[in-house]
Structures are given as C-alpha cells and as structure tokens.
Amino acid sequence: PPLPEQEKIVNYIESRTSKIDAYIAEKEKEVQLLNELKEAEIAKVVTYGLNPDVKMKESGISWIGMIPENWEVTKISSLFIERREKVSDKDFPALSVSKQGITPQLETAVKTDNGDNRKKVCIGDFVVNSRSDRKGSCGISPYTGSVSLINIVLRPRKDIVGQYYHYLFRSNDYIEEYYRLGRGIVADLWTTRYSEMRNIMIPLPPKAEQQAIVVYIS
C-alpha cells in the first residue's frame, strides 16, 4: 500500500489491539475473582455444611473451627489406609497428579527412568503430591494407573463419599495444614510423609450430608 495507508493501518491495528488487550485483562481479572469465590464457597460448605441455621459446635481443631453439631472429627487414618503396592507403568498407565486432579499423563510429559517402580492407584483412591512445591496437586482418582513414588496414595477404609473428601482435601485451609507438617532441609521445599498425614484431623459428616454437599458444589 502507499506509505500513508501503511501508517494508517498500523495505527488502526495498534489502537484496536490495545483496547482488546485491556478487555482481555479485565475479563481475566473477573475469572480470577470468580475462581476465588468458587474456592471460598467450597471451603465453607465442606466444613460448615449447607444449613445456615444448624446448631454449631467447636471442633477443637484449629484449621477446621466450628462444625455442625451432628458432625464428628476423625483422623485421616480412620477413613483411609495407605496403598503401597509397587507396579510398572507398562501394566498400569502413568497418571499425572496436578492442581487439576488426577489425569492420564500426557505423551509429552517428562517420563521417569524408573517406570517399573511406581505406586498403584485404583479408581476412588486419593492421591497427593507430598512435595511443598506442588501445593494443591491432589484429588480422588477416576482412573486406575500408577504414579511416581513422591505421591501418597490412600484407599478408603469405609463407605464414604469420595468426592466430598476430594473437595475437602483441595480446600486451602486443609492444604496449608497438610504441608505445614512437612519436613525438609530447604526452607521452601519440604515433603509431608504419610506418618505425619495420617494423624491430621478432618470433618466426618453423616454420609447423606457428604452426598448433599457434593451435589450442591457440583
């Protein structure tokens, strides 16, 4: 194009894209605020329940606070038992443990050289990455497969609603409590072992309430 038209086109594009970029930034901020609202709502109902008028009691656990009067608190070890079975990723597909939960490992993911020394995971198991630089990387697995040894795998001991504990274990207050118990020689990198995790006290609502909370959150 003639030089004056080139300059007009450039000015037009720069003007339009700056407005679009500003709009994107505004929407990204909205998304962040909505995600924070979602996390806060989930964290509230997994410890306070759904009935705002229910009588409350002190749980005696600092990270939990008040809970409904008909709820109990119990150790993780009373609801879950550690799964230690070692398997190969040739027999049990590799799974990823991230803030998105438990998912099949992408083909592009960095693979371990120790594929024959992994932990077995079954559908319904809770898996958490024990390293503090992976905070929030956990969830109830919808898959059978295998994970690296840095992860802790727990299977339910009794009849509970796994998805309720999926939400509870991914709430910020629980995450902070879990990693607070870790040990390590580096200030910003430590590991929480099952020997510490097993004694964490968690809420135990009646099963019907666990199910109702999951339906509400969903």
Side-chain angles (χ1 to χ4, degrees), residues 122-193:
C122 294
I123 293 172
D125 286 351
F126 174 72
V127 188
V128 56
N129 190 307
S130 62
R131 283 175 37 144
S132 63
D133 61 340
R134 298 289 188 272
K135 272 189 179 183
S137 296
C138 64
I140 298 290
S141 179
Y143 305 98
T144 292
S146 63
V147 293
S148 65
L149 299 182
I150 195 65
N151 298 285
I152 296 173
V153 182
L154 304 180
R155 64 175 177 84
R157 279 186 185 271
K158 56 176 68 175
D159 188 21
I160 57 175
V161 180
Q163 200 65 17
Y164 167 79
Y165 287 97
H166 172 85
Y167 289 124
L168 177 72
F169 290 149
R170 291 168 63 84
S171 64
N172 286 333
D173 287 343
Y174 171 81
I175 288 170
E176 291 302 319
E177 176 68 8
Y178 171 77
Y179 288 103
R180 181 184 69 81
L181 300 173
R183 301 180 185 180
I185 58 174
V186 182
D188 59 351
L189 177 59
W190 60 92
T191 298
T192 304
R193 298 173 299 185

Side-chain angles (χ1 to χ4, degrees), residues 79-139:
L79 299 183
F80 296 88
I81 187 169
E82 186 180 16
R83 190 186 293 280
R84 297 183 176 183
E85 185 179 349
K86 300 292 179 62
V87 295
S88 168
D89 59 6
K90 299 181 184 67
D91 303 316
F92 292 85
L95 301 174
S96 291
V97 183
S98 70
K99 291 183 179 180
Q100 281 69 51
I102 316 304
T103 57
Q105 192 175 80
L106 297 174
E107 289 300 318
T108 54
V110 177
K111 305 292 193 302
T112 176
D113 294 330
N114 200 9
D116 292 327
N117 191 23
R118 296 173 63 81
K119 289 183 179 179
K120 181 180 179 181
V121 175
C122 294
I123 293 172
D125 286 351
F126 174 72
V127 188
V128 56
N129 190 307
S130 62
R131 283 175 37 144
S132 63
D133 61 340
R134 298 289 188 272
K135 272 189 179 183
S137 296
C138 64

Side-chain angles (χ1 to χ4, degrees), residues 48 51-58 66-71:
Y48 292 166
N51 183 357
D53 300 320
V54 71
K55 190 172 181 181
M56 305 291 284
K57 67 180 179 182
E58 180 57 56
M66 304 290 286
I67 57 173
E69 190 176 45
N70 65 325
W71 289 24

Side-chain angles (χ1 to χ4, degrees), residues 10-43:
V10 168
N11 290 336
Y12 172 82
I13 290 174
E14 289 179 346
S15 173
R16 291 291 291 172
T17 55
S18 66
K19 291 177 182 177
I20 292 170
D21 288 343
Y23 181 77
I24 290 171
E26 181 182 328
K27 290 302 171 186
E28 287 175 342
K29 186 175 181 181
E30 282 186 31
V31 169
Q32 181 182 347
L33 291 172
L34 287 169
N35 279 328
E36 289 173 0
L37 177 64
K38 179 176 73 173
E39 290 174 6
E41 180 70 5
I42 290 171

